[in-house]
Amino acid sequence: MARNILILGASYGSLLATKFLMAGHNVTLVCRQKTADLINSEGTEVRIKLRYEPTHRAIFSRDLPGKLDAAPPQDIDVSRYDLVGLAMQEPQYANHTIRVLMIKIAEARLPCLSIMNMPPLPYLKRISALENSDLEEAYTNASVWERFEPGLISLCSPDPQAFRPPEEGANVLHVGLPTNFKAATFADEAHNQLLRELEADIDAVKLDGQDVPVKLKVFDSLFVPLAKWSMLLTGNYRCITPTEPQSIRDAVHGDIALSQSIYEHVDAVARRLGADPKDQVPFEKYAKAAESLLKPSSAARAVAGGAPFIERVDLLVKLISHEIGLPNPEIDRTVETVDKKLNESIVKG
């Protein structure tokens, strides 16, 4: 049965959308009117490299069995959808029209699957050690999440690396690292059945007889998506320097011993919250993957472009680590650097 899925965010969200479309499900992308007009006219193009091929393939939404459309937030009828994907950068949810749509989603009690780096605040409330923690400071506008029931929010570890080529249209996405979306389950078993159905449908897709990378993998543990925190604190946020941004590769491999110590410390924070070591990704595997990440992280590019707000997983991890008695001076130093660069952007106007 074809499911109808609403995805907020047409950039990174187009990757997850393409996977659903290939599996025969229907997707609506929420975006600006100009981008919606482009997608409704031309569709989307996601470039991805299959395992045994030397170059990327272009996968066009118009060629896929599922139906794709796009619309601005004010035009969305939430009653049409079985599942919501949250694929925008966390600061974007503070936009007024997005906030109004989020209220409608919360009131409709739709299950929401986040592929944000920044975990939605209600998701963190599902972790008993954080249920009463004061973490609002890490969010651009924490009130966005007030109406959501924690059990209706799940989180993917957004491991696939992708970007919009600057010379291309807003409907094009290039996948640099085609790893899997690793999702935790919901509180309601009916919603988990939907997740596992989507997991199986995506897994069954072939392209010219070949397996297609970037799967949806569902895990019972709430802590599997938190494995991304170690990667973000070791690589992505350390791309932000007092001067020019550096690549993820250089951030990780410039001082590999220091990187490993940061990575393992964040792993330890997750374990203190309840994660099992099997929920986590070994540092060696991450360091190997980082060798191919030759661009600065999206957070670093945003800061370099003058953005006054970005997703603050660095600050979130700092707040949690201090609360549970596991502070780390390198994490604190990263937060100070990011704070300084964002303040510079605000001062510049």
Side-chain angles (χ1 to χ4, degrees):
M1 180 177 69
R3 298 289 189 169
N4 296 316
I5 301 165
L6 180 69
I7 296 181
L8 279 64
S11 181
Y12 195 51
S14 67
L15 174 55
L16 186 60
T18 295
K19 299 301 296 185
F20 288 140
L21 294 168
M22 294 181 82
H25 300 287
N26 305 318
V27 177
T28 297
L29 291 172
V30 178
C31 51
R32 295 185 180 92
Q33 184 69 62
K34 183 178 179 180
T35 304
D37 291 342
L38 176 64
I39 291 172
N40 289 329
S41 173
E42 300 180 9
T44 57
E45 176 186 347
V46 172
R47 298 169 183 169
I48 191 167
K49 186 184 289 187
L50 303 192
R51 185 171 183 181
Y52 297 110
E53 294 187 349
T55 58
H56 283 66
R57 289 231 192 175
I59 301 175
F60 297 97
S61 60
R62 61 177 178 264
D63 299 332
L64 304 178
K67 296 179 181 178
L68 175 69
D69 68 312
Q74 63 269 21
D75 291 350
I76 298 298
D77 175 5
V78 297
S79 67
R80 292 178 50 202
Y81 301 99
D82 303 299
L83 176 74
V84 177
L86 303 175
M88 299 191 308
Q89 297 282 319
E90 184 269 332
Q92 293 177 276
Y93 293 89
N95 175 277
H96 174 69
T97 55
I98 295 294
R99 290 185 65 188
V100 171
L101 176 58
M102 292 288 278
I103 291 171
K104 294 177 181 177
I105 291 169
E107 290 179 345
R109 304 188 74 251
L110 289 171
C112 297
L113 179 66
S114 171
I115 59 170
M116 301 156 52
N117 279 327
M118 190 72 171
L121 195 53
Y123 183 81
L124 296 178
K125 300 300 182 184
R126 295 179 64 189
I127 298 172
S128 58
L130 299 177
E131 188 176 1
N132 299 310
S133 297
D134 183 8
L135 303 173
E136 284 79 2
E137 179 188 346
Y139 291 80
T140 307
N141 188 340
S143 66
V144 171
W145 307 103
E146 287 178 351
R147 298 170 186 258
F148 285 87
E149 295 179 29
L152 291 171
I153 303 285
S154 187
L155 179 66
C156 277
S157 180
D159 293 347
Q161 300 285 318
F163 63 94
R164 278 181 172 173
E167 71 281 3
E168 302 281 3
N171 60 336
V172 178
L173 189 74
H174 183 96
V175 181
L177 186 65
T179 46
N180 296 324
F181 289 112
K182 293 179 286 189
T185 50
F186 292 103
D188 190 321
E189 192 51 41
H191 298 149
N192 293 333
Q193 184 176 345
L194 169 59
L195 262 189
R196 296 190 190 281
E197 171 192 317
L198 295 171
E199 175 186 37
D201 291 347
I202 289 173
D203 193 54
V205 169
K206 302 291 181 184
L207 191 59
D208 295 337
Q210 298 187 62
D211 194 48
V212 183
V214 187
K215 307 285 190 178
L216 176 64
K217 299 294 184 182
V218 182
F219 295 83
D220 291 330
S221 171
L222 289 174
F223 299 97
V224 167
L226 271 55
K228 187 66 182 287
W229 289 4
S230 301
M231 305 175 195
L232 295 170
L233 270 292
T234 304
N236 297 47
Y237 286 97
R238 290 172 68 227
C239 292
I240 302 170
T241 77
T243 54
E244 296 300 313
Q246 62 179 336
S247 70
I248 294 177
R249 181 189 65 181
D250 291 346
V252 174
H253 289 275
D255 186 337
I256 195 69
L258 177 60
S259 294
Q260 184 168 0
S261 71
I262 296 169
Y263 192 97
E264 292 177 350
H265 185 87
V266 180
D267 272 356
V269 170
R271 289 196 298 273
R272 179 70 67 87
L273 297 177
D276 189 282
K278 70 176 184 295
D279 295 331
Q280 300 174 323
V281 177
F283 173 73
E284 293 75 17
K285 184 175 181 179
Y286 169 68
K288 179 66 176 176
E291 291 176 356
S292 65
L293 301 178
L294 307 181
K295 296 180 181 295
S297 64
S298 59
R301 296 197 301 273
V303 170
F309 302 103
I310 62 170
E311 292 184 321
R312 295 302 306 271
V313 182
D314 61 318
L315 177 55
L316 178 67
V317 173
K318 175 190 173 179
L319 293 173
I320 292 172
S321 64
H322 279 255
E323 179 173 305
I324 65 176
L326 282 178
N328 179 279
E330 289 299 329
I331 292 174
D332 293 353
R333 191 171 294 115
T334 295
V335 171
E336 290 172 6
T337 299
V338 177
D339 283 344
K340 181 179 178 182
K341 296 298 287 187
L342 291 174
N343 287 337
E344 289 175 1
S345 296
I346 293 171
V347 169
K348 289 178 182 177

